[in-house]
Amino acid sequence: MRLVWFRNDLRLADNPALRHGCADEEPVAALFIISPTQWRQHKIAPIRQRFMLAQVDALGRELAALGIGLHLLRVETFAEVPAALADLCRELGVTRLYANQAIELDEQRRDHGVTAGLAEQEVSCHWLNGCCVLPPGRVLTGGREMFKVFTPFSRAWLKALDEDGFVIHRAPAPRGEPLQWQPLAERVFVDEMLGELTPDPRWPVGEAEALRRLHAFLEQAVLDYGETRDFPALAGTSILSPYLAAGIVSPRQCVAALQQRLGARPQSKAQPGFVWLNELIWREFYRHLLVLIPTLSMNRPFKPETVALPWSWDPDAFAAWCEGRTGYPIVDAAMRCLNATGWMHNRLRMIVASFLTKDLHIHWRLGEDYFMSQLIDGDLAANNGGWQWAAGTGADAAPYFRVFNPTTQGQRFDPQGEFIRTWVTELADVPAAYVHQPHDWLRLKGRQDYPAPMVDHAVARVRAIEMFRDLEKT
């Protein structure tokens, strides 16, 4: 018996672990492990947990139709996984375990424990690359080291992809008679944990839905992506991140679909489609970094010297930021959108992260944790990379003297205030000319229903720059 362990790769197509597990006529079973205590410790958002389990439910039905049974284990923490998995393998008569490798430190430690434990039962473990287009360790400098800077990584990644190529594999063929699948909603141990498992209508699950979104974006928006991607009121992005984070669609499927749409894979910024491809390369870069520098999984900065920065931990200011009541309309709209939907536009992620770290001088770790606790697409590598970039502590970080002005960012990327008025209802009737700085207009109307700016950006910017300059001196 072969066992295929699904994790953040909840798909049938282009799934190396599933493909290798189904490579011959030997019986195959599948597994998904629910670890609610560990998920809470990792700040996994409830909306992401529900999305993931709804996809597990859909995956279980699809596997059952192929004659592959999906087993569910509830194991509270990763430390308990090796023993629980050894028991299941013994019960099923498993001789080989297949899974796509994890890149996060706790997950890698869990997998090392699984390998060691199953070796005692003479069960071989096979770890495949299912999370990246090119596996960590493939893209190297001339000195045979992994990259720490994005631009040379991007060039080397493109070259390596040209050399290696890749093939998108279809879902496996049926393995036998269809099996029955008991929906997760009928399973008490799931229902008690998360309550109603009905998928959020904003985020339908399923590989077909992920591919529909991918191809719709490529047909309708990818050619204009470079011009529209920064405007949150426009439908200029793919909104595929939840599906990539859960592995419902693979990054290789995205690259292959882009290449098919354009007739060739773009190689430079001057070519159509490259801007979106570059975002996929950024995703790869952060994932490779997480493997190269395990301390990124441990709340440590990429630049070790920045651990000495005198960050604030002001709970009241942090709460105002979380709840979208900073007095800066674009920041507040972005945070309220996140809290209501579990998703935030990428330009807005940069704006609110800059505001928290450079205007409020609050530690980026608090922002990183809060995002993970809310995001449906929460992904450690991308989230950590983005926050450290904004805070000035990470790889390819913006120079410390480059501090986003939240007012001018709003004026530039939401010029008519459409996005702001959607989420900050107190400003719904404020004219576009005043919506980014509404306080004088509201005062003339005798209204006090929207907070004053909690900080003076000009003053806060100077303090942020001083923090880094003082660090350089020491």
Side-chain angles (χ1 to χ4, degrees):
M1 169 72 75
R2 297 183 175 198
L3 182 64
V4 178
W5 180 9
F6 287 87
R7 291 99 81 84
N8 292 327
D9 50 4
L10 303 175
R11 61 185 183 274
L12 299 181
D14 195 42
N15 188 321
L18 181 61
R19 180 170 64 86
H20 283 80
C22 295
D24 59 25
E25 298 303 315
E26 190 174 351
V28 177
L31 169 68
F32 183 81
I33 297 178
I34 297 170
S35 300
T37 299
Q38 192 74 53
W39 290 351
R40 284 194 294 271
Q41 291 174 0
H42 284 174
K43 308 292 192 303
I44 304 301
I47 190 173
R48 183 182 170 204
Q49 294 183 42
R50 286 192 293 269
F51 180 73
M52 184 165 50
L53 289 178
Q55 176 61 21
V56 169
D57 200 24
L59 179 67
R61 287 195 303 271
E62 293 173 344
L63 287 168
L66 297 177
I68 301 173
L70 176 62
H71 297 263
L72 295 176
L73 288 180
R74 176 167 176 165
V75 182
E76 293 299 322
T77 66
F78 288 166
E80 303 165 51
V81 167
L85 193 46
D87 289 343
L88 180 66
C89 288
R90 191 179 300 111
E91 175 188 338
L92 297 178
V94 171
T95 58
R96 296 186 183 186
L97 173 72
Y98 293 85
N100 294 311
Q101 68 179 129
I103 59 168
E104 302 85 358
L105 184 59
D106 285 346
E107 285 78 353
Q108 287 190 12
R109 288 171 171 167
R110 172 201 62 195
D111 293 350
H112 289 321
V114 166
T115 298
L118 292 185
E120 297 177 4
Q121 296 179 202
E122 298 185 346
V123 176
S124 61
C125 294
H126 304 265
W127 309 103
L128 291 307
N129 169 46
C131 73
C132 294
V133 177
L134 297 172
R138 170 63 184 92
V139 184
L140 301 175
T141 68
R144 307 304 294 170
E145 296 179 346
M146 293 177 70
F147 285 92
K148 294 183 179 180
V149 179
F150 175 73
T151 299
F153 171 87
S154 176
R155 288 195 294 264
W157 186 92
L158 289 165
K159 181 180 178 182
L161 186 60
D162 285 340
E163 293 171 352
D164 292 3
F166 59 85
V167 176
I168 300 297
H169 294 276
R170 298 178 181 273
R175 305 284 298 181
E177 293 297 319
L179 305 174
Q180 286 191 326
W181 170 250
Q182 181 188 4
L184 265 66
E186 298 175 5
R187 302 179 189 233
V188 173
F189 72 91
V190 173
D191 190 54
E192 284 181 340
M193 183 174 65
L194 287 174
E196 181 58 56
L197 283 174
T198 302
D200 188 320
R202 286 181 291 249
W203 307 108
V205 298
E207 291 179 66
E209 172 62 20
L211 292 176
R212 184 197 67 77
R213 289 185 177 218
L214 171 60
H215 291 294
F217 167 74
L218 293 176
E219 288 298 322
Q220 301 167 15
V222 73
L223 297 182
D224 298 321
Y225 180 73
E227 290 71 41
T228 61
R229 63 176 177 150
D230 284 319
F231 296 84
L234 301 179
T237 65
S238 69
I239 319 184
L240 276 173
S241 53
Y243 300 87
L244 280 165
I248 302 172
V249 66
S250 77
R252 298 197 308 180
Q253 287 174 295
C254 293
V255 175
L258 176 65
Q259 182 172 325
Q260 182 179 29
R261 165 73 172 88
L262 300 176
R265 189 162 55 245
Q267 297 290 325
S268 70
K269 293 180 181 179
Q271 294 179 306
F274 183 83
V275 177
W276 189 64
L277 176 61
N278 207 45
E279 292 301 308
L280 293 173
I281 302 174
W282 268 106
R283 181 181 186 273
E284 298 265 305
F285 177 60
Y286 284 141
R287 299 180 82 76
H288 287 219
L289 269 187
L290 208 61
V291 174
L292 173 64
I293 308 175
T295 53
L296 294 177
S297 293
M298 302 167 64
N299 295 318
R300 304 291 178 82
F302 173 86
K303 298 178 180 178
E305 68 276 12
T306 60
V307 74
L309 285 166
W311 297 109
S312 166
W313 300 85
D314 185 335
D316 293 333
F318 181 63
W321 176 84
C322 292
E323 295 164 13
R325 45 183 181 84
T326 68
Y328 284 89
I330 194 67
V331 174
D332 294 340
M335 295 305 297
R336 295 184 196 187
C337 176
L338 170 65
N339 294 335
T341 70
W343 188 81
M344 187 187 291
H345 187 281
N346 189 58
R347 168 58 58 171
L348 300 178
R349 298 187 197 208
M350 292 189 285
I351 293 171
V352 303
S354 177
F355 186 84
L356 184 73
T357 57
K358 301 293 181 64
D359 283 76
L360 301 183
H361 313 127
I362 289 177
H363 204 301
W364 55 267
R365 284 170 48 187
L366 291 181
E368 180 191 12
D369 280 355
Y370 187 74
F371 264 33
M372 284 297 289
S373 75
Q374 300 296 315
L375 283 169
I376 192 170
D377 62 359
D379 173 86
L380 175 61
N383 192 46
N384 178 272
W387 271 97
Q388 293 218 45
W389 181 90
T393 64
D396 279 53
Y400 66 79
F401 51 81
R402 185 181 299 158
V403 180
F404 281 18
N405 182 320
T407 301
T408 57
Q409 286 283 308
Q411 291 168 336
R412 181 177 177 185
F413 297 114
D414 189 30
Q416 299 304 310
E418 296 173 65
F419 180 80
I420 288 172
R421 281 191 287 265
T422 298
W423 294 104
V424 184
T425 55
E426 307 96 298
L427 306 182
D429 60 344
V430 176
Y434 302 97
V435 73
H436 299 283
Q437 294 177 297
H439 304 91
D440 289 343
W441 188 90
L442 293 171
R443 194 177 300 113
L444 287 173
K445 300 294 182 180
R447 287 171 48 184
Q448 299 180 341
D449 54 342
Y450 182 66
M454 61 187 299
V455 292
D456 182 323
H457 170 71
V459 174
R461 176 183 177 277
V462 170
R463 172 61 187 137
I465 293 172
E466 287 176 348
M467 284 170 53
F468 281 86
R469 283 182 176 162
D470 290 345
L471 183 66
E472 281 190 338
K473 293 176 184 177
T474 59

